[in-house]
Amino acid sequence: APSVVLVHGDTATTAAASLAAYFQGIPVAHVEAGLRTHNLFSPWPEEGNRRVVDAVSSLHFAPTERAKVNLIAEGTSPASVTVTGNTVVDALLFTMERMRSDAELAQRLDAQFAVLDQFAKVLLVTGHRRENFGDGLDQICRALARVAAADADTCIVYPLHPNPNVR
């Protein structure tokens, strides 16, 4: 049996793994703990997953001070909460450093993304949560079109999620 189960995020898989460990008496450590909208139905079901996972976790790795405050306000022991930073930001910074230090990687990426102007501003967009399906995604795309029309020096990069509702 593992000594601890480390889970990340707010997916159904994260919630299921957390509950399975909890039912087996195995401590759970949650990365991205304490994120809250304070609306159980938005994002749905992620907000519910977050609350369930944090309720059964022994260790809470919060990305921000705000997330730590949320956990403590819910009765989580401050001693079990560590502010770690945001894993997405860390991954971006790690990748940028790799690109600076690995000439072969930089060359491959330059070729793969040759369409991007290296001197332009880049706007990276993500939007795949189900509460944005339909009109929400339409509004996001209309706003991006306005940005593109108003600022020719900005490259918009929007990697599409494989979900057909997003594509």
Side-chain angles (χ1 to χ4, degrees):
S3 338
V4 66
V5 170
L6 180 67
V7 296
H8 182 272
D10 57 13
T11 65
T13 305
T14 298
S18 299
L19 287 173
Y22 169 74
F23 291 151
Q24 292 297 312
I26 302 167
V28 175
H30 184 202
V31 176
E32 286 194 348
L35 296 177
R36 297 290 185 272
T37 63
H38 305 289
N39 176 348
L40 189 56
F41 299 99
S42 180
W44 184 89
E46 290 85 354
E47 180 74 4
N49 293 339
R50 294 169 182 167
R51 295 184 196 189
V52 166
V53 173
D54 286 335
V56 300
S57 292
S58 303
L59 297 171
H60 304 83
F61 300 114
T64 65
E65 286 294 331
R66 178 77 232 160
K68 179 179 179 176
V69 167
N70 290 337
L71 289 163
I72 293 169
E74 293 169 0
T76 301
S77 167
S80 74
V81 181
T82 302
V83 176
T84 58
N86 185 307
T87 54
V88 171
V89 172
D90 291 344
L92 176 63
L93 295 173
F94 174 79
T95 301
M96 289 172 56
E97 180 54 38
R98 278 197 58 213
M99 289 170 47
R100 281 192 281 275
S101 63
D102 183 338
E104 182 181 327
L105 174 63
Q107 186 176 11
R108 281 196 327 261
L109 292 173
D110 283 346
Q112 185 177 356
F113 296 102
V115 68
L116 295 177
D117 178 346
Q118 68 176 338
F119 300 106
K121 295 177 281 185
V122 175
L123 174 60
L124 176 62
V125 179
T126 63
H128 62 274
R129 293 207 183 263
R130 66 183 55 78
E131 64 270 15
N132 289 327
F133 291 174
D135 187 54
L137 283 174
D138 289 343
Q139 288 182 41
I140 290 169
C141 290
R142 283 194 295 276
L144 292 172
R146 287 193 302 273
V147 169
D151 187 354
D153 293 332
T154 298
C155 292
I156 299 173
V157 178
Y158 191 169
L160 291 178
H161 194 277
N163 184 318
N165 290 313
V166 176
R167 290 205 170 265

